[in-house]
Amino acid sequence: MDDILSKSTTANTGEVLEENAIGALWQICFVANSFVFPIYAQFDKEYEISRMEFVVLFVLSHRDCLMAWEICRMTGLPKNNISRGIQKLETKGLISRSPDPKDARRAMVTTTEKGHILFDKLLAAYTKRADGFLSLLDENDKADLDRIMVKLSKFMPTIA
Amino acid sequence: MDDILSKSTTANTGEVLEENAIGALWQICFVANSFVFPIYAQFDKEYEISRMEFVVLFVLSHRDCLMAWEICRMTGLPKNNISRGIQKLETKGLISRSPDPKDARRAMVTTTEKGHILFDKLLAAYTKRADGFLSLLDENDKADLDRIMVKLSKFMPTIA
DNA sequence: TATGTCAAGTCCCATATGGGACTATTATTT
DNA sequence: AAATAATAGTCCCATATGGGACTTGACATA
């Protein structure tokens, strides 16, 4: 019988995953991690912005103002993490919080001008990287991907 | 002018993301997190298996035996994390390590019988959840998704 | 054989993370 | 109105994570 070592074919990255239905979701996670880790490392290094801070800014860039719990729902991230992200951003003057006069528990979060300026830089880096990934796809692929991801996003978790 | 609060449309989960090319990758990450967090929480609660342990078992289920650095490359995860996962699994008797006689730095990792038995349960839960997600897609979608994810997986990072 | 370089894993440490308890406020029920 | 539940957000704490230093061993070159 062969040496035990010979059983190991030199596996390439992501290779494992190209198999069945289960593989599709594994691969989604794999691609997501591959995309997101280097970007967040870059944000941290270049701008001292953490993942949670970026997430808050990103979501806010699509709505003028939001409450923390809305950001949680939109991102699927736990509220304590979002809370911390918001606190950091506020400390840095990148967002501002205005308490809801009708409900003292709530506060609306808005990006400040300073926050917009920084976010533009972050988004440029983000977009550049995203384009790098998507450049592997043709136009049909991109359309399919959009359609599929919209469908999949409907399957929502309820994260505390 | 309207109350500041009225600016906030009640945003639904994942809604932000359905916009442009940048949104596609955001959405991939969103779906990935939505899929993966509850499953790992379940694994931790029901089987006391951590994410890293599952990842190692998962990858090993596709290859008879592998070395740690191969698992890193296939998963894109840092080697210290994988190292810890392997250590835990070995302690529990779910995998075994046989040192490479030709290179004392290396060790081949193999799933034990006990490991296989546990992994079957984990995989059943994983598959069930994956099927839940994928049930939102029709057959064309699934085929498209597979094709696209294989393409995207080629855009590989080099993670330490 | 000495020497420098690289590779596989492990270890240490500072930070990020998520669960759950807690506070403060509002909504609902009686 | 009082009592109870529910909600937004924060805090605490134990664990997970990733960067980087370190150890050990292999390999290339002299």
Side-chain angles (χ1 to χ4, degrees):
Chain A
M1 184 188 160
D2 290 345
D3 187 328
I4 190 176
L5 290 176
S6 64
K7 284 188 188 172
S8 168
T9 63
T10 349
N12 288 320
T13 349
E15 182 195 337
V16 173
L17 328 158
E18 309 170 12
E19 295 185 11
N20 43 24
I22 309 144
L25 270 156
W26 176 271
Q27 234 163 349
I28 289 174
C29 298
F30 182 74
V31 169
N33 286 334
S34 303
F35 173 70
V36 101
F37 271 75
I39 265 285
Y40 287 142
Q42 182 185 346
F43 288 167
D44 185 48
K45 186 169 289 177
E46 291 183 17
Y47 304 99
E48 292 183 3
I49 287 289
S50 70
R51 174 185 164 208
M52 290 303 156
E53 291 175 277
F54 175 75
V55 160
V56 170
L57 287 177
F58 186 91
V59 174
L60 279 175
S61 75
H62 296 256
R63 297 272 182 287
D64 281 347
C65 56
L66 287 167
M67 288 176 293
W69 68 271
E70 292 178 298
I71 301 178
C72 292
R73 204 159 38 106
M74 293 164 83
T75 59
L77 290 166
K79 58 185 182 176
N80 47 7
N81 290 353
I82 295 297
S83 174
R84 269 185 296 251
I86 290 175
Q87 283 169 8
K88 284 188 192 172
L89 289 170
E90 194 182 26
T91 304
K92 297 177 184 176
L94 300 170
I95 62 169
S96 64
R97 277 196 278 195
S98 36
D100 183 345
K102 297 171 196 150
D103 187 337
R105 291 170 302 181
R106 301 177 165 193
M108 296 303 296
V109 179
T110 323
T111 310
T112 62
E113 188 55 31
K114 188 180 170 190
H116 277 297
I117 292 170
L118 175 64
F119 180 70
D120 286 344
K121 297 181 194 167
L122 300 177
L123 187 63
Y126 186 91
T127 306
K128 186 179 170 191
R129 184 165 176 80
D131 287 343
F133 268 69
L134 294 177
S135 68
L136 297 162
L137 306 180
D138 59 37
E139 290 311 311
N140 285 335
D141 294 336
K142 287 177 189 173
D144 291 340
L145 180 61
D146 281 346
R147 170 176 47 83
I148 290 166
M149 284 301 148
V150 169
K151 285 190 184 180
L152 287 181
S153 298
K154 304 298 185 216
F155 197 74
M156 268 309 95
T158 0
I159 292 180
Chain B
M1 185 186 158
D2 290 344
D3 188 327
I4 191 177
L5 289 176
S6 63
K7 285 188 188 172
S8 169
T9 63
T10 350
N12 287 321
T13 348
E15 182 195 336
V16 173
L17 327 158
E18 308 170 11
E19 296 185 10
N20 45 25
I22 309 145
L25 270 156
W26 175 272
Q27 234 163 350
I28 288 174
C29 298
F30 181 74
V31 169
N33 286 334
S34 304
F35 174 70
V36 101
F37 270 74
I39 264 286
Y40 287 142
Q42 181 185 347
F43 288 168
D44 184 47
K45 186 169 290 179
E46 291 183 15
Y47 304 100
E48 291 182 5
I49 287 289
S50 70
R51 173 184 165 208
M52 290 302 156
E53 291 174 276
F54 175 74
V55 160
V56 169
L57 286 177
F58 186 91
V59 174
L60 279 175
S61 75
H62 296 255
R63 296 274 182 285
D64 281 349
C65 55
L66 287 167
M67 287 176 295
W69 67 271
E70 291 179 298
I71 300 177
C72 292
R73 203 160 39 105
M74 294 165 81
T75 60
L77 290 166
K79 59 185 182 175
N80 45 8
N81 290 353
I82 294 297
S83 175
R84 269 185 295 251
I86 290 175
Q87 284 168 8
K88 284 188 193 172
L89 289 170
E90 195 182 25
T91 304
K92 296 177 184 176
L94 299 171
I95 62 168
S96 65
R97 277 196 280 194
S98 35
D100 183 344
K102 298 170 194 152
D103 188 337
R105 291 170 304 180
R106 300 178 166 194
M108 296 303 295
V109 179
T110 323
T111 310
T112 62
E113 188 56 29
K114 188 179 169 189
H116 278 296
I117 292 170
L118 175 64
F119 179 72
D120 285 344
K121 296 180 195 166
L122 300 177
L123 187 63
Y126 186 91
T127 306
K128 186 180 171 191
R129 184 165 176 79
D131 287 343
F133 268 70
L134 295 177
S135 68
L136 297 162
L137 307 180
D138 59 36
E139 289 310 312
N140 285 336
D141 294 336
K142 287 178 188 172
D144 291 339
L145 180 62
D146 281 346
R147 169 176 50 81
I148 290 166
M149 283 303 148
V150 168
K151 284 190 184 180
L152 287 180
S153 299
K154 303 298 185 218
F155 197 74
M156 268 308 94
T158 0
I159 292 179

